[in-house]
Amino acid sequence: MNIKELIKNMTLEEKASLCSGKNMWETQNIERLNIPAIMMSDGPHGLRKQVDKSDNLGLNISIFATCFPTAATSACSFNRSLLKKMGQAIALECRENDVDILLGPGVNIKRSPLCGRNFEYFSEDPYLSGELGASFTSGVQSLGVGVSVKHFACNNQEKYRHIVSSEIDERAKREIYLASFERVIQENPYTVMCSYNRINGVYTSEDESLLNKILRDEWKYTGVLITDWGACNDRVKGLKSGQDLEMPSSNGINDRKIIEAVKNGDLDEEILDRAVERILNLVFKCQNKPPYYKDIDNHLLAKEIACESMVLLKNDNHILPIKDKTIGIIGALANKMRIQGSGSSKINPKKVENILEVLTQENIVYKYAEGYSLKSDKTNKRLLKEAIELAKKVEIPIIFIGLTENYESEGFDREHLNLPHSHNHLVEEIVKVNSNVVVVLIGGAPVLMPWVNKVKGILNAYLGGESAALAIVDILLGKVNPSGKLAETYPLQLEPTFGGDNAEYYMESIYVGYRYYDKCKKQVLFPFGYGLSYTTFSYSDITVNKTELSEDEILEVSFKIKNTGNYYGKEICQLYIRDIESSVYKPEKELKEFTKVALDINEEKHITFKLDKRAFSYYNIHENSWIVESGEYEILIGSSSQDIRLKTIIHIKANKDVLSPYDKLQIPSYYDLSNGFNITDYKKLLARELPPQNRSIKRPFDYNSTLKELSHSFVGKFLLLAIKIHIRKTTKDKSNRLMMLRSMLDIPYRALISFGGEVFSPKLAQGLLLLMNRRYIKGLKVIFSKRGRDII
Ligand code: BGC
């Protein structure tokens, strides 16, 4: 197929139509030219293909598919090949169901532990996120299914996600937020999905510097750039900036804008042709898939990944694994397992075991008490009492607690780091009657553990996918030796940097995750890279191929690792680099390599890591490039970010000496974090003033006004009411309703049009907007506003 010829035969209207979706999930087909449609589905930890009613929040039913552990969980495996296998397994389900593009992986950085969507992302560390995202991508694409790496970029909170502007300095953007995408781009993902937010005031879907300059020119990306669902703002500007495909669709409005812009000379037709060419390349690539056969048992693969990902946080007196002891299972989450988060990633699994079923299958005798109700966070006295009585009668009470559905989801952020009160209370009461408590923690993000010193064991099971119960039981009983390590820091408290209404000022610059806690020497609950095993490992004999090298040479770091305990086990060895003396501000250390090694009892292996100059570079904003500074660097080999076992120093000679861009800036708070960050230094770093974070209602309303803003008008209230009724009809699940409402409130009017289908036609939208700009319609106002508030 000669695509260039084909484009020559297309009318302007046909070209414009190809640049937005035909419906929620498909691209436009053009029968006249034999151009087929392609099908996309969420992602990322399983296939969410909807065949009947469609939505982008996981409310309507999707076909049965395997629910793998979510990214927050699988990241703790630090296992590239497992992520690849998971990608392949999901791709096979895509193939079986005629899905061409899987909407994932999500490689956004966990900037704040509060982000409601952290369960869908890998890590606070860009190297780890990038490596795992790349492995997943290569797995999916090896079977002829494309990915959509998302959400590009700096989309690190759900609150105001459609309108927020991430105010960020260029160095943090490059080193922290873009680096994981940059790595995945090396795998040629079929598509990249822009995020909803703006970066420094510009919507990512029309950010020329992000799309054309960085992604296309610098990273040489030739695939298709799609918008997140409803993220298109100015279609013509988007096209000019490198955006190809708007999803789901603008119901023809934006097609007309494209046509008009070409006709009146505002849009060069060549730009449109280039976007069409990329889309057609994708469409035809998707028609030529290699043959496939399926030899994977996905339920077992999901279990294997869960087994490698769960993190043993505490194991005093070797309370685990449990051998010949009477056990009590306490907590509703053991019975009604929470295996994934809510929103567009929600999978409809065929088979989900719970803990009680698995124990019964294994012929393990246990007693069970519910402990708390999943319907409320308040302690249920009767359930608590039953649990205490049970705990008195067994040798080891195993308490299942965690974040429930109302706590974490796409569409909103958490407000604090606490577990539900009834869960903490349950643990506090049980430890009073039994000193051998083991906690199994469920949830997709860090929580505070006020009872941490009172329990003997903690297994962090995260959101383990459909086979979570199988993995948990195997770990508790010692059939599997836990080998996951935390891909994010568990803090002791919520730091002021995150949350609150100033969250969109990325004042902390590059100090994200352990880079922050390390630099200000803050104690944490559990550090990045931490996780226990039933066995022990010893590290020895670090050597390097050279102690003096030029920046273009490869450094090889070798060491030995030995299993010195009594169980077969796997260890995640981590390599961090510390720049001993730098002219720019830098974290204490940064992860630059890792591997997972399997070792029999007494077995020893020799590990070699290779590092190129990128591992030693920082992003210089004056040079607009990655720069290595001459000097000494410490190579640290650790079992966690805070358990460094081996060290050595090397010296690098840079090709040229480059001045620090911060020499004349006077930004002391970035060198010494003891007094926190301040806005004065931050503005110097950005070299500009900050936009006010004004959330007051802007009038007159326009297509970017949010539903919440619009609801301050009479007609807007009515619109909100209609949406609430729609939500009520769509789902009976209260947490789903809450999630949908919370995310709808921040949605801009323009996005409503793209989701509204035929009901919410452009004409109707325009008419309503006119009405909304009239203050109120007398008389009816009160009735509707009251009803609107109460309906959910
Ligand atoms: C989410 C994306 C998802 C898309 C389609 C959006 O709301 O942000 O991650 O892929 O919907 O469901």
Side-chain angles (χ1 to χ4, degrees):
M1 167 74 51
N2 184 332
I3 285 174
K4 285 209 161 50
E5 282 301 311
L6 182 60
I7 295 173
K8 278 191 199 144
N9 283 329
M10 291 173 81
T11 63
L12 180 57
E13 286 70 18
E14 283 168 339
K15 290 190 227 175
S17 75
L18 210 61
C19 293
S20 71
K22 170 164 82 171
N23 52 37
M24 194 70 167
W25 305 116
E26 283 175 296
T27 58
Q28 188 64 53
N29 60 320
I30 302 177
E31 241 168 74
R32 184 182 80 85
L33 299 164
N34 290 326
I35 299 173
I38 57 168
M39 173 82 188
M40 317 189 196
S41 286
D42 283 300
H45 54 268
L47 177 63
R48 183 178 72 95
K49 181 178 177 184
Q50 292 178 317
V51 276
D52 195 3
K53 285 184 184 160
S54 295
D55 69 89
N56 69 321
L57 287 172
L59 303 168
N60 291 297
I61 197 86
S62 52
I63 58 163
F64 284 128
T66 315
C67 177
F68 287 94
T70 77
T73 318
S74 60
C76 300
S77 74
F78 280 67
N79 189 331
R80 295 175 178 95
S81 63
L82 263 190
L83 263 294
K84 184 168 180 178
K85 271 198 205 167
M86 174 169 155
Q88 285 168 331
I90 299 175
L92 283 175
E93 292 192 4
C94 289
R95 293 292 302 268
E96 285 168 348
N97 292 289
D98 296 323
V99 169
D100 301 292
I101 305 284
L102 179 81
L103 303 175
V107 297
N108 295 92
I109 293 297
K110 300 183 193 200
R111 173 177 175 241
S112 157
L114 294 178
C115 173
R117 223 172 165 180
N118 274 355
F119 70 88
E120 258 188 88
Y121 301 139
F122 292 111
S123 176
E124 65 191 23
D125 181 84
Y127 182 74
L128 180 59
S129 300
E131 286 299 305
L132 299 182
S135 305
F136 180 84
T137 299
S138 85
V140 174
Q141 297 200 160
S142 67
L143 283 150
V145 175
V147 301
S148 194
V149 53
K150 64 191 189 184
H151 307 91
F152 192 57
C154 303
N155 173 196
N156 311 99
Q157 65 181 63
E158 288 299 285
K159 194 171 174 189
Y160 306 129
R161 69 173 171 162
H162 290 271
I163 47 174
V164 76
S165 174
S166 305
E167 298 295 324
I168 184 170
D169 72 278
E170 186 65 19
R171 182 170 162 214
K173 188 167 124 190
R174 297 289 194 140
E175 290 185 16
I176 305 295
Y177 298 97
L178 297 192
S180 44
F181 287 95
E182 188 179 0
R183 172 65 187 90
V184 179
I185 295 302
Q186 292 170 2
E187 305 298 322
N188 292 320
Y190 284 21
T191 73
V192 173
M193 187 194 293
C194 288
S195 51
Y196 287 122
N197 56 290
R198 292 173 290 152
I199 301 178
N200 298 331
V202 183
Y203 284 103
T204 62
S205 59
E206 57 196 45
D207 186 338
E208 164 78 21
S209 74
L210 182 72
L211 307 184
N212 271 341
K213 193 174 152 291
I214 299 179
L215 185 64
R216 297 230 189 260
D217 295 349
E218 267 183 49
W219 298 351
K220 310 279 178 252
Y221 181 63
T222 54
V224 172
L225 254 162
I226 64 180
T227 64
D228 197 344
W229 269 230
C232 178
N233 175 49
D234 180 331
R235 187 65 189 100
V236 173
K237 202 168 163 200
L239 271 171
K240 287 182 187 168
S241 312
Q243 181 66 257
D244 302 310
L245 178 63
E246 173 186 5
M247 286 304 288
S249 124
S250 67
N251 288 318
I253 304 182
N254 283 336
D255 298 4
R256 284 195 287 281
K257 284 191 184 157
I258 296 173
I259 296 164
E260 232 169 80
V262 172
K263 283 188 177 158
N264 67 26
D266 181 31
L267 177 69
D268 188 341
E269 195 162 351
E270 263 184 32
I271 293 180
L272 176 62
D273 286 357
R274 237 174 290 146
V276 169
E277 188 179 336
R278 286 191 288 251
I279 295 170
L280 288 175
N281 270 326
L282 175 70
V283 169
F284 290 111
K285 182 151 81 174
C286 290
Q287 311 313 308
N288 285 315
K289 297 189 181 77
Y292 73 97
Y293 63 95
K294 197 173 168 188
D295 61 351
I296 310 178
D297 177 334
N298 284 4
H299 196 60
L300 283 185
L301 177 62
K303 176 185 169 187
E304 187 187 343
I305 299 170
C307 284
E308 282 227 7
S309 306
M310 293 181 179
V311 186
L312 183 63
L313 295 176
K314 191 170 179 189
N315 198 17
D316 286 359
N317 305 344
H318 304 290
I319 184 103
L320 294 175
I322 294 164
K323 295 244 152 64
D324 308 321
K325 293 268 181 338
T326 56
I327 58 169
I329 302 295
I330 299 174
L333 282 171
N335 187 11
K336 194 163 185 292
M337 300 284 296
R338 198 172 156 247
I339 57 160
Q340 59 178 330
S342 294
S344 63
S345 67
K346 199 157 192 172
I347 308 302
N348 182 15
K350 210 180 221 167
K351 181 169 165 193
V352 183
E353 295 91 353
N354 69 27
I355 297 292
L356 311 181
E357 283 161 0
V358 178
L359 287 172
T360 308
Q361 271 164 30
E362 297 277 320
N363 292 323
I364 306 288
V365 180
Y366 65 90
K367 293 188 164 62
Y368 170 69
E370 200 176 325
Y372 51 81
S373 158
L374 283 172
K375 290 201 183 107
S376 154
D377 287 354
K378 287 200 194 117
T379 295
N380 176 315
K381 286 192 184 139
R382 181 182 60 79
L383 296 178
L384 176 63
K385 196 158 169 262
E386 272 172 29
I388 295 172
E389 289 313 311
L390 186 150
K392 285 182 191 164
K393 292 190 198 121
V394 296
E395 285 166 283
I396 304 185
I398 307 174
I399 313 182
F400 286 75
I401 54 171
L403 294 172
T404 54
E405 289 222 322
N406 291 350
Y407 277 74
E408 44 179 358
S409 164
E410 176 174 345
F412 60 88
D413 293 329
R414 281 191 294 162
E415 280 159 18
H416 53 72
L417 293 179
N418 299 326
L419 284 162
H421 168 76
S422 53
H423 297 211
N424 280 334
H425 190 194
L426 174 68
V427 180
E428 295 287 359
E429 292 302 313
I430 301 278
V431 291
K432 288 183 189 158
V433 300
N434 190 319
S435 59
N436 283 327
V437 167
V438 170
V439 166
V440 176
L441 199 63
I442 310 283
V447 291
L448 304 181
M449 302 177 206
W451 33 259
V452 66
N453 296 324
K454 300 179 191 162
V455 301
K456 286 258 166 68
I458 307 174
L459 175 68
N460 191 354
Y462 268 98
L463 295 174
E466 63 179 43
S467 313
L470 296 172
I472 294 172
V473 169
D474 273 7
I475 292 176
L476 293 177
L477 300 180
K479 288 190 183 175
V480 166
N481 187 353
S483 62
K485 297 207 179 193
L486 293 177
E488 60 192 324
T489 308
Y490 273 55
L492 276 171
Q493 70 204 27
L494 185 65
E495 293 299 315
T497 336
F498 311 124
D501 266 351
N502 281 343
E504 50 201 275
Y505 292 165
Y506 284 42
M507 244 196 294
E508 72 287 351
S509 184
I510 56 171
Y511 298 114
V512 175
Y514 67 89
R515 288 167 171 77
Y516 168 76
Y517 300 102
D518 267 10
K519 187 78 175 184
C520 48
K521 301 190 173 48
K522 284 224 155 107
Q523 289 266 318
V524 297
L525 183 55
F526 296 107
F528 175 85
Y530 168 87
L532 301 173
S533 164
Y534 294 153
T535 189
T536 48
F537 301 98
S538 80
Y539 289 69
S540 66
D541 300 323
I542 184 166
T543 56
V544 286
N545 61 336
K546 282 178 169 222
T547 49
E548 304 264 330
L549 61 162
S550 78
E551 73 168 67
D552 297 320
E553 286 177 288
I554 301 287
L555 178 71
E556 289 183 19
V557 184
S558 303
F559 60 95
K560 286 184 191 151
I561 172 130
K562 186 172 181 185
N563 182 345
T564 48
N566 301 321
Y567 288 84
Y568 161 85
K570 292 183 182 173
E571 167 71 334
I572 296 161
C573 311
Q574 301 152 48
L575 183 150
Y576 297 86
I577 295 183
R578 182 166 88 88
D579 189 351
I580 293 179
E581 198 182 331
S582 169
S583 71
V584 297
Y585 62 88
K586 277 205 172 167
E588 285 296 295
K589 59 175 168 314
E590 296 183 273
L591 182 77
K592 296 295 173 182
E593 251 297 4
F594 61 85
T595 189
K596 192 162 197 175
V597 199
L599 293 162
D600 276 325
I601 300 167
N602 276 327
E603 192 185 1
E604 187 169 60
K605 279 188 182 158
H606 195 258
I607 307 292
T608 299
F609 288 134
K610 291 186 183 170
L611 301 170
D612 66 10
K613 67 174 166 192
R614 177 67 183 260
F616 298 92
S617 314
Y618 74 95
Y619 190 81
N620 184 301
I621 50 170
H622 285 173
E623 300 280 313
N624 290 327
S625 66
W626 295 88
I627 293 292
V628 180
E629 281 195 303
S630 293
E632 292 193 320
Y633 292 83
E634 195 167 25
I635 309 295
L636 312 165
I637 303 291
S639 172
S640 90
S641 65
Q642 286 189 11
D643 182 7
I644 301 301
R645 304 287 183 88
L646 304 168
K647 290 177 182 180
T648 188
I649 291 177
I650 55 122
H651 186 278
I652 297 194
K653 174 90 189 84
N655 291 347
K656 60 173 183 174
D657 289 325
V658 174
L659 283 182
S660 157
Y662 313 115
D663 261 1
K664 300 200 179 78
L665 274 189
Q666 298 293 332
I667 43 170
S669 62
Y670 290 99
Y671 293 84
D672 173 1
L673 268 50
S674 45
N675 292 323
F677 305 107
N678 66 64
I679 205 121
T680 318
D681 286 7
Y682 177 47
K683 283 192 212 162
K684 286 188 203 160
L685 196 60
L686 295 175
R688 62 177 163 88
E689 283 301 312
L690 283 160
Q693 294 186 317
N694 188 355
R695 303 250 172 263
S696 58
I697 309 150
K698 284 178 252 73
R699 283 180 196 264
F701 300 124
D702 58 26
Y703 283 94
N704 267 324
S705 300
T706 62
L707 192 54
K708 195 169 168 186
E709 283 177 317
L710 298 174
S711 71
H712 286 266
S713 70
F714 168 70
V715 174
K717 276 192 180 72
F718 188 70
L719 188 64
L720 183 59
L721 175 68
I723 287 173
K724 283 177 175 179
I725 291 171
H726 173 70
I727 296 175
R728 236 190 136 96
K729 275 197 198 148
T730 313
T731 171
K732 285 204 173 78
D733 183 312
K734 233 184 163 188
S735 59
N736 268 347
R737 279 185 194 164
L738 193 68
M739 182 251 304
M740 195 167 176
L741 180 68
R742 281 184 177 181
S743 51
M744 286 303 262
L745 288 176
D746 288 342
I747 222 171
Y749 194 51
R750 62 176 154 78
L752 279 186
I753 304 170
S754 78
F755 289 122
E758 278 154 23
V759 184
F760 203 63
S761 71
K763 277 221 167 96
L764 176 65
Q766 202 178 13
L768 287 180
L769 192 62
L770 276 174
L771 283 175
M772 282 187 281
N773 276 323
R774 296 186 53 181
R775 279 290 156 104
Y776 48 80
I777 298 172
K778 274 188 198 158
L780 292 173
K781 185 185 169 205
V782 182
I783 306 168
F784 282 111
S785 60
K786 198 149 178 275
R787 181 113 174 80
R789 234 181 295 123
D790 298 342
I791 195 115
I792 280 284

